[in-house]
Amino acid sequence: MQDNDVYDLVGIGFGPSNLALAIAIEEHNGRCRPGDRLRAIFLEKQDDFGWHRGMLFEDATMQVSFLKDLVTMRNPASDFSFVSYLHAHERLADFINYKSMYPLRVEFHDYLRWAAGRMKDSVHYGHTVTDVVPVEGGSLLDVTAGARTFRTRNVSVAVGLESRLPAGIEVSERVWHNLDILHRAAAFDVAEPRRFIVVGAGQSAAESVSFLHERYPTAEVCSVFFRYGYSPADDSNFVNGIFDPDAVDLYFDAPDEVKRMLFEYHRDTNYSVVDRDLIEDLYRRVYREKVLGRERLRMLNASQVTSLKTRPDGVTAVVEHLPTGERTPLEADAIVYATGYRPVDVTRLLGTAGAHCRRDDQNLLRVGRDYRVTTDSDLRAGIYLQGGTEHAHGITSTLLSAVAVRSGEIVDALAASGREVPPRPLAMIGDR
């Protein structure tokens, strides 16, 4: 049934980005006049809040400072901060004594769930958006999720990334993407696997190798990657400035060739790189096993998987050593592809409204500094992107570093745009 009012914003997805936006809207409403408050609702296809559950290893730490939480960079006084979470859980002193800027990933996930729980009245879980349709001459949008339709002046799309696999590879019981490794590996807890293969050279690949090597002490773990060795992430002091809010302005206003140059120069802050501590830990394991004569952890560097056959009880992969061309068949209980992610096609998700979004000569969406997509004259309602704007806003657009400040900027844009259509009851238009 049609919701009987007009929202200022409907958020599609309720991960960290739209959660931060929901909090920013609540804090905006708490300090503005009643007539300037924003009405928002968020739609999430999952039945509960969850963020990369399949990679919540017990010993994995965040790669971003706890100060880059949902709110602090925008509003240090917010009681939705990670520090407020620690205080609420009586762990603030303990975390201070922990002496780290980087909390455990499971702890940060619990922080996100704590914040999401406080915003439960702003989200409908179990709602998968199937279409977004311009109405009222393009000044409003009808967002359809199942049998319900929500009318709004703006949408915020924050559906994250989807797993990327090599051509011809499909996920199965024995072929995994690392995003689901914890859930998939649980099937082997009552068995004794003989060998795992992990493909990839980035942080997720190295974490997957470490996890499997520790969890299954009799299994061999083969790490296959193009490079000669894992490359360390560049998290040095000056380079980290590329994730600062001011860097977004510089990047957005720069010529296209400068944007490409900066992205290539600093892709090793995030892409296909590994934390130095983890690299050293894995090297120590390899060396220790050589000394002891029990080599379970094998680094198949400068190599690639050239073919893969699946069986009911495992897989057979052919691994080619690129410098020599030598090919070696490996039988394994399972193969894990830690081969990264790609942005979700926003226009596909937007359905009918997606056809009104404009693209540049490289077929990339045109996006303003306020993260609003440029649309044709038939669509005047706002479409805001949370993620997928690296080409316009820089390398930080898909990372947690941006969520707090970006949410504040979107709220400012919503508040400044005014209300072209006043709130009014709508006639029920039936199930859609």
Side-chain angles (χ1 to χ4, degrees):
M1 298 182 68
Q2 170 76 46
D3 202 85
N4 64 352
D5 208 348
V6 178
Y7 289 94
D8 295 297
L9 178 82
V10 169
I12 303 175
F14 201 63
S17 293
N18 266 349
L19 171 56
L21 180 57
I23 295 169
I25 289 173
E26 175 161 293
E27 293 183 345
H28 163 83
N29 290 345
R31 63 176 181 268
C32 71
R33 298 175 301 178
D36 294 331
R37 291 173 183 165
L38 299 171
R39 293 192 66 234
I41 195 73
F42 295 83
L43 308 175
E44 169 57 49
K45 66 180 180 180
Q46 297 185 101
D47 293 329
D48 195 6
F49 183 87
W51 178 66
H52 297 321
R53 292 189 186 98
M55 290 289 289
L56 294 179
F57 304 127
E58 291 183 357
D59 59 348
T61 57
M62 296 294 293
Q63 294 177 277
V64 62
S65 166
F66 72 89
L67 293 173
K68 293 183 177 180
D69 56 21
L70 296 168
V71 295
T72 298
M73 293 289 285
R74 172 182 60 79
N75 176 17
S78 172
D79 66 353
F80 278 89
S81 69
F82 183 74
V83 170
S84 294
Y85 156 81
L86 290 172
H87 185 266
H89 289 76
E90 299 181 350
R91 285 205 311 273
L92 182 55
D94 294 329
F95 185 81
I96 293 171
N97 294 333
Y98 184 52
K99 295 182 179 180
S100 176
M101 298 288 286
Y102 307 99
L104 292 168
R105 193 179 297 158
V106 291
E107 182 178 33
F108 202 81
H109 183 268
D110 192 58
Y111 155 66
L112 295 175
R113 284 182 57 85
W114 169 80
R118 295 176 61 188
M119 298 302 300
K120 63 181 183 298
D121 293 338
S122 297
V123 58
H124 290 314
Y125 291 103
H127 280 60
T128 299
V129 172
T130 56
D131 203 0
V132 180
V133 181
V135 294
E136 299 283 336
S139 62
L140 297 174
L141 296 165
D142 275 354
V143 181
T144 301
R148 301 188 66 181
T149 298
F150 302 83
R151 185 157 289 184
T152 181
R153 299 176 179 83
N154 305 277
V155 296
S156 168
V157 184
V159 292
L161 305 171
E162 59 186 4
S163 56
R164 180 171 56 198
L165 292 165
I169 300 299
E170 295 183 1
V171 170
S172 67
E173 290 299 315
R174 301 287 178 160
V175 180
W176 312 338
H177 188 274
N178 68 273
L179 189 63
D180 298 315
I181 188 171
L182 277 177
H183 312 313
R184 297 285 190 175
F188 289 99
D189 286 350
V190 295
E192 290 190 9
R194 187 170 58 88
R195 177 184 287 142
F196 293 101
I197 300 171
V198 179
V199 180
Q203 181 72 19
S204 295
E207 288 183 358
S208 298
V209 168
S210 175
F211 163 73
L212 294 170
H213 185 256
E214 288 183 355
R215 183 153 175 169
Y216 303 103
T218 62
E220 181 181 278
V221 180
C222 299
S223 180
V224 181
F225 47 87
F226 287 117
R227 301 185 181 208
Y228 196 82
Y230 293 123
S231 297
D234 186 355
D235 62 350
S236 56
N237 305 75
F238 290 111
V239 167
N240 267 347
I242 201 168
F243 302 117
D244 292 348
D246 290 346
V248 176
D249 289 320
L250 292 174
Y251 193 96
F252 186 84
D253 293 328
D256 288 343
E257 62 272 18
V258 175
K259 290 180 180 179
R260 288 191 292 270
M261 178 190 72
L262 289 173
F263 190 89
E264 289 303 317
Y265 276 155
H266 298 299
R267 64 179 297 112
D268 60 354
T269 58
N270 186 57
Y271 295 99
S272 298
V273 289
V274 183
D275 285 345
R276 191 176 297 272
D277 288 347
L278 181 54
I279 294 175
E280 293 174 354
D281 175 63
L282 291 174
Y283 187 88
R284 283 193 294 267
R285 297 190 206 186
V286 171
Y287 184 78
R288 181 175 64 244
E289 291 180 353
K290 285 184 177 180
V291 171
L292 298 175
R294 300 192 300 270
E295 297 183 41
R296 287 196 306 115
L297 182 53
R298 297 174 58 189
M299 296 293 169
L300 305 182
N301 59 349
S303 299
Q304 65 177 348
V305 174
T306 58
S307 68
L308 180 70
K309 294 182 179 179
T310 60
R311 310 182 310 273
D313 62 344
V315 300
T316 300
V318 176
V319 178
E320 179 185 4
H321 187 235
L322 297 174
T324 63
E326 181 181 358
R327 296 191 173 192
T328 304
L330 289 177
E331 293 188 355
D333 295 89
I335 186 169
V336 183
Y337 282 93
T339 46
Y341 308 88
R342 59 172 170 248
V344 173
D345 184 348
V346 174
T347 55
R348 182 189 69 204
L349 179 72
L350 289 170
T352 305
H356 298 277
C357 298
R358 291 189 169 179
R359 296 178 178 270
D360 61 19
D361 54 7
Q362 298 181 53
N363 202 35
L364 299 170
L365 287 175
R366 295 186 181 275
V367 187
R369 175 60 185 85
D370 60 358
Y371 302 95
R372 181 170 175 166
V373 178
T374 301
T375 55
D376 60 31
S377 58
D378 293 328
L379 178 57
R380 294 182 290 127
I383 297 174
Y384 293 86
L385 298 186
Q386 297 236 56
T389 65
E390 285 181 321
H391 60 288
H393 298 87
I395 201 168
T396 192
S397 69
T398 59
L399 306 177
L400 285 174
S401 298
V403 297
V405 173
R406 181 175 63 213
S407 296
E409 292 173 342
I410 292 175
V411 169
D412 289 344
L414 295 173
S417 64
R419 292 185 170 92
E420 295 181 10
V421 180
R424 58 185 174 85
L426 296 173
M428 294 292 186
I429 58 177
D431 293 347
R432 300 280 287 253

